[in-house]
Amino acid sequence: SSDLDPVFEDGPLGPAMPRSRTSQELRDLWKKAILQQILLLRMEKENQKLQASENNLLNKRLKLDYEEITLCLKDVTMVWEKMLIMPGRSKMMFDMEKIHKAIGQGVPRQHRGEIWKFLAEQYQLRHPFPSKQQLKDTPYKELLKQLTSQQHAILIDLGRTFPTHPYFSAQLGAGQLSLYNILKAYSLLDPEVGYCQGLSFVAGVLLLHLSEEDAFHMLKFLMYDVGLRKQYRPGRSEEH
């Protein structure tokens, strides 16, 4: 029975007779129903957050599911961690000898993405005016809204990029979708290079340790600041 059904009460002359609920009782019942609905909506929202969080954790585990050649020692990991948590690190030049020594001893897998960002910061501090070759600095989210003529070539290569790695193996799973987004965005940012075979492996490695947008910015840094795009420009094969 519903809370809104009539109330039956025993009278002095026999069986219970139904009576209508008072307006106050009805108000209380509606208030209770509304509060329950609000609670259900909150629970649903929290469940969605939890699902998203679990998916993120699952993706992180999938990303780092590859075999290390050599494990990084705890002492070396601590050296990196001290540099990473240094206040104001993005504006501070660190001792390059110390950085080179740490790189030689190993870059811990769990901090690899953050360390790459740190190394990019250090490079840019020492090379403050890189040649951007008339690069248009279009925001990543704006690039994702556009169409690319390279779509077919990118889609074909998605399944060929680290096909045995669990993060990329699912057809149009999280890994392949993020990889497509990055390659599409870069092809729009740099029409001269556009998309060419091999670029997906660079982007794929970055994606294993960085968020999608951070991986895109790191790819842009490698191509323009470090000069990797020279290897991918049209006519590169004729230069040798």
Side-chain angles (χ1 to χ4, degrees):
S1 66
S2 167
D3 285 337
L4 298 178
D5 289 341
V7 179
F8 289 83
E9 292 181 345
D10 289 334
L13 300 176
M17 297 293 291
R19 75 165 175 84
S20 298
R21 291 186 182 275
T22 66
S23 58
Q24 182 60 48
E25 286 175 328
L26 288 170
R27 278 197 295 272
D28 289 344
L29 285 170
W30 277 114
K31 188 176 178 181
K32 180 181 174 185
I34 289 167
L35 288 172
Q36 285 179 344
Q37 189 61 35
I38 290 170
L39 180 62
L40 285 171
L41 288 170
R42 280 183 182 166
M43 288 173 66
E44 181 62 24
K45 193 176 280 187
E46 289 304 315
N47 278 331
Q48 288 173 358
K49 284 183 189 173
L50 179 62
Q51 186 68 40
S53 172
E54 286 176 346
N55 286 339
N56 286 335
L57 288 171
L58 176 62
N59 280 340
K60 283 178 182 175
R61 284 197 294 269
L62 283 177
K63 285 182 173 191
L64 298 182
D65 186 9
Y66 62 83
E67 192 174 340
E68 289 273 57
I69 297 172
T70 53
L71 294 175
C72 195
L73 297 174
K74 189 175 179 181
D75 290 349
V76 182
T77 300
M78 288 176 67
V79 169
W80 282 115
E81 287 174 347
K82 283 179 183 175
M83 287 193 278
L84 292 177
I85 63 171
M86 187 76 71
R89 79 166 202 213
S90 62
K91 297 176 182 177
M92 183 190 306
M93 285 194 192
F94 285 70
D95 181 355
M96 285 308 295
E97 192 175 327
K98 182 180 179 182
I99 290 175
H100 288 152
K101 183 179 178 183
I103 292 171
Q105 292 175 323
V107 178
R109 171 163 45 183
Q110 69 272 27
H111 297 311
R112 201 157 284 165
E114 196 60 32
I115 290 169
W116 289 346
K117 288 198 281 186
F118 165 69
L119 294 175
E121 289 166 1
Q122 290 299 302
Y123 183 93
Q124 288 174 327
L125 284 172
R126 288 168 170 78
H127 305 82
F129 302 108
S131 172
K132 293 288 186 182
Q133 288 108 3
Q134 300 176 338
L135 170 67
K136 291 179 183 176
D137 203 13
T138 311
Y140 181 63
K141 288 178 182 175
E142 290 301 313
L143 291 168
L144 292 182
K145 294 175 186 176
Q146 300 175 32
L147 297 173
T148 175
S149 60
Q150 309 285 323
Q151 176 174 305
H152 183 65
I154 294 171
L155 285 171
I156 287 173
D157 280 350
L158 289 182
R160 301 171 179 170
T161 307
F162 302 119
T164 60
H165 191 289
Y167 183 61
F168 295 112
S169 59
Q171 188 174 13
L172 296 184
Q176 287 196 10
L177 286 172
S178 286
L179 185 59
Y180 173 78
N181 287 341
I182 290 174
L183 296 172
K184 168 192 164 179
Y186 188 81
S187 74
L188 291 162
L189 181 82
D190 184 3
E192 186 186 4
V193 169
Y195 170 73
C196 53
Q197 217 168 20
L199 203 56
S200 61
F201 285 93
V202 179
V205 169
L206 296 175
L207 257 181
L208 292 179
H209 298 278
L210 294 161
S211 69
E212 184 181 302
E213 189 164 352
D214 281 349
F216 170 74
H217 290 301
M218 187 62 72
L219 178 63
K220 189 167 71 171
F221 164 77
L222 290 172
M223 295 292 276
Y224 278 91
D225 294 56
V226 180
L228 193 60
R229 85 185 279 276
K230 284 185 261 181
Q231 306 296 323
Y232 293 94
R233 282 168 60 191
R236 173 65 185 170
S237 57
E238 285 86 357
E239 292 174 16
H240 294 285

